[in-house]
Amino acid sequence: MTLINSRQGSGSSATERPGEAERPPPAAVSVRKAGAGRSGTAGRSGDPAAGGGRTVLVFRAAGLLGAGALLLFVLALSIAVGAKQLSLTEVLNGLTDTGSPSYPVVHEMRLPRTVLGLLAGAALGLAGGVMQALTRNPLADPGLLGINGGAAAAVVTAISFFGVSGYTGYIGFAFAGAAAVSVAVYAVGGGRGATPARLALAGTALNAALISYVNAVQLLDTASLDRMRFWTVGSLARAEDGTNVQALPFVLAGILLALALARPLNALALGEDSARALGSRPGLTRGAAIVAVTLLCGAATAACGPIVFVGLMVPHMVRSLTGPDLRWLLPYCALLAPVLMLGADVLGRVLGRPAELQVGIVTVVLGGPFFLYFVPRRKVAQA
């Protein structure tokens, strides 16, 4: 009897509100309306997303080509502009014709300086991008972990106490200082269990101590003060072919290692557990990233001094174009950082005539207002 009554009850409710059981739920109605509005595109819902992904890919690739073209323009500008202005014809003759009056100017002065700006700019830009990804800190630059400070302290020691001069003498001390500080920061930061916050804190503390040491040595050693002051400001003016040849292997090794770390660092940004689930090894990734930054910063700092703001500004600019994906961000940094470096060098030659402003001074003057303008922008400020 109970079963019969329940069935009758359910039947009576159905008859009291006819047609309600056949009425689809609101979500289904909305889906059907959306599908009807596509005029026959139902069943291909993945196409718009796929098309958007292809559009972004094409946009980024076109931007990379544009960055390459801009770099070529600045390279030509760096060779043409200086104390003696060269026309395009004179630049071409100076590059190819040994009998041209502009040949010594191009090959002995402008070309080595331009190549050094290209190498050092790419090194600092990539180092900044890797540092910001490693520490998950959008304000990170190669100086955050004290690597630039370690290289600078070692070179200043070599100049003051051992009478070393020239890139051949600087490079060994620069790498020794950068490597020593990298190991110290990694150890103080927790070793394999290091976290971005610990690395940043350890690097900041060591960097402050090293900069104080550099300033103290400069004040106490008046005989070497002029040479150290010129180097610590940051300059491309003393570039030579030998300097570029010696720096090239270290910069290339650092660039290749940094680019190879794009995918592991992308995985690490999701968190250590997620990175391990994706097959990445967080400890190895961090160690390799520090090696890459050491190679890049050691070579650049030994060649032209501790130039600041390049490794900080360029990743911020690039992130507004590419987002946080390091597979695109790092190649953009490798192209646009030399544009900033060489552009600042050219600007220093023009503004300082008949002398010149060192590139390290110009990057600071440009970097401060530029950075203040871009940091509040949400897309740029987020790492």
Side-chain angles (χ1 to χ4, degrees):
M1 290 297 292
T2 305
L3 180 59
I4 293 173
N5 290 336
S6 65
R7 289 181 177 175
Q8 288 175 349
S10 62
S12 64
S13 65
T15 56
E16 287 175 3
R17 292 178 289 180
E20 186 173 346
E22 291 82 7
R23 189 178 303 162
V29 173
S30 63
V31 170
R32 288 181 187 176
K33 288 182 179 178
R38 294 194 191 112
S39 65
T41 60
R44 293 184 294 168
S45 59
D47 289 350
R54 284 194 294 270
T55 302
V56 171
L57 186 65
V58 171
F59 173 77
R60 290 177 177 175
L64 204 60
L65 292 175
L70 181 60
L71 177 59
L72 290 176
F73 171 76
V74 175
L75 288 172
L77 197 65
S78 177
I79 296 176
V81 176
K84 178 183 179 182
Q85 199 80 8
L86 299 178
S87 65
L88 180 59
T89 303
E90 289 175 319
V91 170
L92 294 176
N93 290 336
L95 288 172
T96 57
D97 185 6
T98 56
S100 171
S102 58
Y103 185 87
V105 176
V106 171
H107 278 269
E108 295 177 12
M109 299 176 60
R110 304 279 176 85
L111 194 57
R113 184 171 186 158
T114 301
V115 172
L116 180 58
L118 174 65
L119 293 176
L124 294 175
L126 276 171
V130 171
M131 286 301 309
Q132 291 179 15
L134 178 65
T135 60
R136 300 180 211 167
N137 183 352
L139 297 178
D141 71 339
L144 182 68
L145 294 191
I147 295 175
N148 273 358
V155 172
V156 166
T157 300
I159 293 173
S160 180
F161 296 104
F162 300 104
V164 175
S165 62
Y167 186 79
T168 304
Y170 294 164
I171 186 66
F173 283 91
F175 276 120
V181 171
S182 299
V183 172
V185 169
Y186 193 64
V188 174
R192 292 185 177 181
T195 63
R198 288 181 179 178
L199 289 174
L201 289 172
T204 301
L206 282 173
N207 190 60
L210 291 168
I211 295 302
S212 299
Y213 168 78
V214 169
N215 292 333
V217 172
Q218 286 181 329
L219 290 174
L220 294 174
D221 188 359
T222 55
S224 302
L225 178 60
D226 289 338
R227 192 166 24 145
M228 288 190 295
R229 181 175 56 191
F230 182 84
W231 179 83
T232 53
V233 166
S235 174
L236 303 177
R238 295 185 178 180
E240 299 175 353
D241 287 334
T243 302
N244 298 329
V245 170
Q246 293 175 30
L248 182 62
F250 302 104
V251 174
L252 285 180
I255 288 175
L256 293 176
L257 182 56
L259 294 176
L261 288 170
R263 286 182 181 274
L265 286 172
N266 276 343
L268 192 60
L270 302 174
E272 292 200 10
D273 293 337
S274 299
R276 290 191 181 94
L278 293 172
S280 179
R281 300 170 63 182
L284 181 61
T285 300
R286 289 195 185 95
I290 291 177
V291 170
V293 172
T294 301
L295 286 171
L296 295 170
C297 291
T301 304
C304 50
I307 296 175
V308 298
F309 267 116
V310 174
L312 181 63
M313 283 194 300
V314 173
H316 276 285
M317 292 189 299
V318 169
R319 196 173 289 111
S320 65
L321 301 174
T322 67
D325 189 350
L326 294 174
R327 294 173 299 175
W328 289 98
L329 187 143
L330 293 181
Y332 267 87
C333 287
L335 292 176
L336 291 179
V339 170
L340 175 61
M341 176 80 83
L342 291 171
D345 187 45
V346 170
L347 189 61
R349 295 183 224 171
V350 173
L351 295 179
R353 286 177 177 172
E356 67 177 61
L357 294 175
Q358 306 305 323
V359 65
I361 297 174
V362 179
T363 56
V364 172
V365 172
L366 293 177
F370 186 89
F371 191 61
L372 290 175
Y373 173 79
F374 269 93
V375 163
R377 274 47 180 183
R378 183 176 179 182
K379 290 178 69 176
V380 180
Q382 288 179 343

